[in-house]
């Protein structure tokens, strides 16, 4: 009997590449009988991987339609770099693949949002900074407060308007909004349309950073009247934590 890891690699190779990679000496039955069983096993695995893609991207699937999404998914999972992945990471890069295949901006946006949602859902736990935490700080304490990004925080910049893209956000997303903040400050993943200033603060600030840096950047870009509301929007969404530095 060969080395276990080597035998596993040979077994996986024949599932991926077919009879041309048949592992001589690994099975005791005749090759035709073994290949028949392996074919059934490979079909089961292929189906499971297609289901995993469907469950990762339900809205993209609904938007594109069952037939088109299934055809694109089959092509996607057969890419050599995707074949090697485990189910948890199987859907990574589907949005970029769709951009090359369909040139449908809304489909690409939905796929990027759904992948970011999944990453946020599986992120590490952390205590999000809350607006109530700021109430007891004097001016200097507020300016010196160290900030970092919550582990669940993701931002997706879309090419299409958020309101039509995600109808449940239509009341909170102004027509010009193209940034979606995704957070999981507690147990539920939350979606927050972001105004450009708030999005810029997250994407352009080098974290960890003191509150004073965020405030100065916000004032420089939009003036004092807009600065604090932009930062409070991030705090209220659970996008920030206290820095440990």
């Amino acid at each position: 009997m060969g080395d276990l890891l080597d035998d596993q690699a040979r077994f996986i190779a024949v599932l991926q590449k077919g009879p041309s990679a048949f592992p001589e000496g690994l099975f005791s039955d005749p090759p035709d009988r073994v290949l028949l069983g392996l074919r059934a096993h490979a079909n089961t695995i292929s189906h499971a991987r297609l289901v995993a893609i469907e469950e990762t991207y339900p809205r993209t699937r609904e938007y594109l339609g069952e037939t088109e999404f299934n055809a694109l998914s089959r092509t996607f999972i057969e890419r050599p770099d995707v074949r090697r992945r485990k189910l948890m990471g199987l859907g990574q890069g589907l949005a970029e693949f769709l951009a090359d295949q369909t040139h449908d901006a809304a489909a690409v946006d939905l796929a990027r949002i759904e992948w970011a949602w999944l990453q946020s859902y599986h992120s590490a736990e952390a205590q999000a900074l809350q607006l109530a935490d700021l109430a007891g700080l004097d001016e200097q304490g507020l300016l010196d407060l160290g900030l970092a990004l919550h582990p669940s925080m993701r931002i997706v910049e879309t090419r299409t308007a958020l309101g039509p893209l995600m109808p449940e956000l239509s009341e909170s997303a102004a027509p010009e909004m193209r940034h979606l903040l995704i957070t999981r400050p507690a147990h539920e993943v939350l979606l927050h349309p972001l105004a450009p200033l708030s999005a810029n603060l997250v994407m352009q600030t080098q974290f960890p950073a003191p509150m004073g840096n965020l405030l100065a950047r916000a004032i420089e870009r939009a003036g004092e009247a807009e600065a604090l509301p932009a930062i409070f929007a991030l705090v209220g969404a659970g996008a920030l934590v206290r820095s440990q530095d």
Side-chain angles (χ1 to χ4, degrees):
M1 183 176 292
D3 177 81
L4 176 60
L5 292 178
D6 179 61
D7 289 344
Q8 288 177 337
R10 294 162 67 201
F11 181 79
I12 292 171
V14 72
L15 290 176
Q16 293 180 339
K17 300 177 183 178
S20 63
F22 187 79
E24 296 293 341
L26 186 60
F27 302 101
S28 58
D29 289 341
D32 59 335
R33 295 293 299 169
V34 174
L35 286 172
L36 185 63
L38 288 175
R39 186 176 295 111
H41 188 55
N43 287 338
T44 300
I45 292 175
S46 178
H47 177 71
R49 290 166 73 81
L50 286 171
V51 170
I53 292 291
E54 291 177 354
E55 292 181 347
T56 300
Y57 296 101
R59 291 205 177 193
T60 309
R61 177 190 178 195
E62 180 181 6
Y63 173 81
L64 288 173
E66 180 79 24
T67 301
E68 183 176 0
F69 183 85
N70 188 264
L72 289 166
S73 296
R74 288 181 180 277
T75 302
F76 177 73
I77 65 172
E78 288 303 318
R79 294 172 56 180
D81 60 316
V82 179
R83 278 187 175 189
R84 297 190 293 267
R85 298 178 189 170
K86 297 179 181 179
L87 289 182
M88 280 290 293
L90 189 61
Q92 182 177 2
L94 182 69
E96 290 71 23
F97 172 77
L98 292 178
D100 293 335
Q101 298 293 317
T102 70
H103 306 290
D104 188 320
V108 175
D109 286 342
L110 281 171
R112 292 181 64 211
I113 289 170
E114 291 191 287
W115 181 251
W117 188 99
L118 187 65
Q119 299 308 295
S120 181
Y121 178 80
H122 289 293
S123 65
E125 301 284 346
Q127 179 63 49
L129 184 69
Q130 300 179 28
L131 292 172
D133 298 328
L134 308 180
L137 300 175
D138 59 21
E139 181 178 351
Q140 193 59 49
L142 182 64
L143 294 175
D144 292 340
L145 179 64
L147 301 173
L149 296 176
H150 194 284
S152 70
M153 196 285 304
R154 301 291 187 278
I155 282 191
V156 177
E157 184 175 4
T158 65
R159 293 173 58 191
T160 48
L162 286 174
L165 192 66
M166 306 192 77
E168 71 271 31
L169 302 178
S170 59
E171 293 185 3
S172 56
E176 71 275 6
M177 286 187 172
R178 294 292 190 276
H179 294 89
L180 184 66
L181 176 68
I182 304 174
T183 60
R184 186 178 57 79
H187 303 293
E188 182 182 1
V189 178
L190 304 175
L191 306 178
H192 308 271
L194 274 190
L197 179 57
S198 295
N200 178 270
L201 289 177
V202 172
M203 296 187 296
Q204 300 298 325
T205 302
Q206 184 68 42
F207 289 95
M211 175 72 80
N213 283 18
L214 262 70
L215 188 59
R217 179 183 293 274
I219 291 173
E220 180 181 355
R221 289 186 60 85
E224 293 187 9
E226 301 282 344
L228 279 177
I231 295 173
F232 289 164
L234 298 174
V235 176
L240 302 173
V241 298
R242 289 178 181 266
S243 171
Q244 300 302 313
D245 293 347

